[in-house]
Amino acid sequence: MKNLSAPMLKGNKILKFESFVLNLGGKRTVVLITAISITLSVLLTCSICLYFEYSNLWSSSLSRIDWILIVASAALVPLIVAPIVTGHLVRMVFRIHYLQEELQKLATLDSLTGLLNHGAMMNSIEKTYKLAIKEQQEITFIMMDIDYFKNINDRYGHAAGDMVLKNFGTLIKKISKSSDLVGRVGGEEFLACLYGDSSLEGHSFINRLQDEIRGTEYRSEGHPFKVTSSIGITKMSPLDPLPLDTLLKNVDKALYQAKRAGRNKVIEHTQGPPGQLQAS
C-alpha cells in the first residue's frame, strides 16, 4: 500500500510557502530570505573558524583583519546568489498563483458573460439553500430567457448573438448586489438567486432589469434592434420550505408559462397548490 502522507505533507508545505510569499510580497520575501541566508552563512563560517582556532588547527591565531575578511566573504556569496535564486522562485510562485486563479475562473465562470457557469451556479445555490434553511431566510429565484434568440442569430449572425448575451450578462451584474448569485445556466437562459430577499425585492430586481433591457439598443452592420426577456420567479418561504429541486422546477415552469403567454412577460409561481401560477 502506497504511503500518501509524505506527498500530502510536501503539498501542505508548498501551500504554506505560497501563502507566505503572497502575503509578504515579492520584494520583502527576497530581502528576508537574503538576510536569513547571509546570517546563516556568517554564523556557520565563523563557527567553523572558531572550531579550527580553538582546536589549534591553525598555524597562527586569526587577527582582526582576518575575521573581517572571513565575515565579508561569508556574507558576499549569499548577498549575490540569494536575491537571484529567491527572485526567480518568487516570480514562479506569483506566476503559479496567477495560473491557478485563471483555471479557477475557467472552471466557475462563463467565458462569454463573466457570470457563474451552470455547474458553479448549481453548487453555489445548493450551499445558499442549506444556509437559508439553517438561518430561516427567504430565497427568491428568477429565471430569465432572451426572447427569440435563435432569430437574432439567424438574422444578424452569431457575433450579434454573442454581443447580446455578453451585454445581457453585464446588465444582470449591474443591478445585482454582492450577495446575489447570478449565472448563465443555458444558451440564452440566466438564473438569479437572491438570498434573504422578499418577492417585493425580487420584483424590484426584475423591474430594474427590464428598464435596462428597454433602454439598450443593439446594432449589427448598421441595423438597430432591441431584445426582450421572458421571466419566471418563485420564492422559498422559511416557514414552509420546499425542496431545492422543486423550487428550481417551479421557476422553470414559471418561465415556460411566460414564454407561452406571448413572451416579454413575468410569471410568478406561488407556493400554493401545485401548478398555481400568477402573471405579474
Side-chain angles (χ1 to χ4, degrees):
M1 187 174 179
K2 292 183 179 179
N3 184 4
L4 299 179
S5 60
M8 287 178 65
L9 286 172
K10 289 179 181 178
N12 288 335
K13 288 179 181 178
I14 291 171
L15 289 174
K16 287 180 180 178
F17 179 71
E18 179 186 356
S19 177
F20 171 79
V21 172
L22 293 173
N23 290 329
L24 188 61
K27 291 182 179 179
R28 289 182 178 178
T29 301
V30 171
V31 170
L32 178 62
I33 293 179
T34 300
I36 293 172
S37 300
I38 291 172
T39 303
L40 291 176
S41 177
V42 170
L43 287 175
L44 181 61
T45 303
C46 289
S47 298
I48 293 172
C49 290
L50 285 171
Y51 172 77
F52 273 78
E53 187 171 26
Y54 287 131
S55 300
N56 295 318
L57 296 175
W58 301 118
S59 57
S60 61
S61 297
L62 296 174
S63 66
R64 184 177 180 182
I65 299 214
D66 291 332
W67 279 108
I68 292 173
L69 290 173
I70 288 170
V71 171
S73 300
L76 185 61
V77 174
L79 183 62
I80 296 172
V81 176
I84 297 173
V85 176
T86 308
H88 177 72
L89 184 61
V90 166
R91 285 192 296 272
M92 187 183 299
V93 168
F94 276 94
R95 179 64 178 167
I96 291 172
H97 180 71
Y98 170 77
L99 291 174
Q100 287 174 336
E101 287 187 332
E102 291 301 306
L103 286 172
Q104 182 69 15
K105 288 180 183 178
L106 289 173
T108 60
L109 298 182
D110 174 59
S111 59
L112 185 62
T113 63
L115 301 177
L116 293 173
N117 60 29
H118 184 276
M121 186 66 181
M122 292 302 111
N123 288 337
S124 299
I125 284 176
E126 187 174 352
K127 294 176 183 177
T128 301
Y129 174 80
K130 290 178 180 178
L131 182 64
I133 295 292
K134 181 180 178 181
E135 297 187 349
Q136 294 190 321
Q137 291 290 327
E138 290 185 357
I139 302 180
T140 301
F141 293 96
I142 302 170
M143 183 82 81
M144 300 147 278
D145 183 276
I146 300 173
D147 295 329
Y148 304 109
F149 185 73
K150 185 177 182 300
N151 292 346
I152 295 172
N153 279 331
D154 292 342
R155 184 172 180 181
Y156 302 107
H158 288 280
D162 287 349
M163 174 180 63
V164 170
L165 288 171
K166 186 175 182 179
N167 189 71
F168 199 86
T170 301
L171 295 182
I172 293 176
K173 283 188 284 188
K174 181 179 178 181
I175 64 170
S176 300
K177 303 194 302 291
S178 58
S179 59
D180 297 338
L181 295 174
V182 288
R184 181 186 175 197
V185 293
E188 64 272 18
E189 286 189 355
F190 297 80
L191 178 62
C193 173
L194 315 183
Y195 180 80
D197 283 358
S198 66
S199 285
L200 212 68
E201 291 168 315
H203 282 289
S204 175
F205 177 99
I206 291 170
N207 290 335
R208 294 198 306 274
L209 177 61
Q210 288 181 314
D211 287 342
E212 293 288 345
I213 292 171
R214 281 191 289 265
T216 302
E217 182 178 87
Y218 301 91
R219 283 188 173 272
S220 177
E221 297 180 355
H223 300 290
F225 66 95
K226 289 193 172 187
V227 301
T228 59
S229 176
S230 298
I231 300 173
I233 178 173
T234 193
K235 75 168 185 176
M236 182 196 77
S237 169
L239 301 177
D240 185 20
L242 292 174
L244 179 58
D245 287 348
T246 301
L247 290 166
L248 293 174
K249 287 177 182 176
N250 286 348
V251 73
D252 190 60
K253 188 184 296 183
L255 172 63
Y256 180 71
Q257 290 293 328
K259 291 164 74 173
R260 285 194 61 184
R263 291 180 169 81
N264 195 22
K265 297 275 193 299
V266 178
I267 297 288
E268 180 176 2
H269 189 291
T270 60
Q271 194 166 325
Q276 180 180 349
L277 295 163
Q278 291 185 352
S280 58

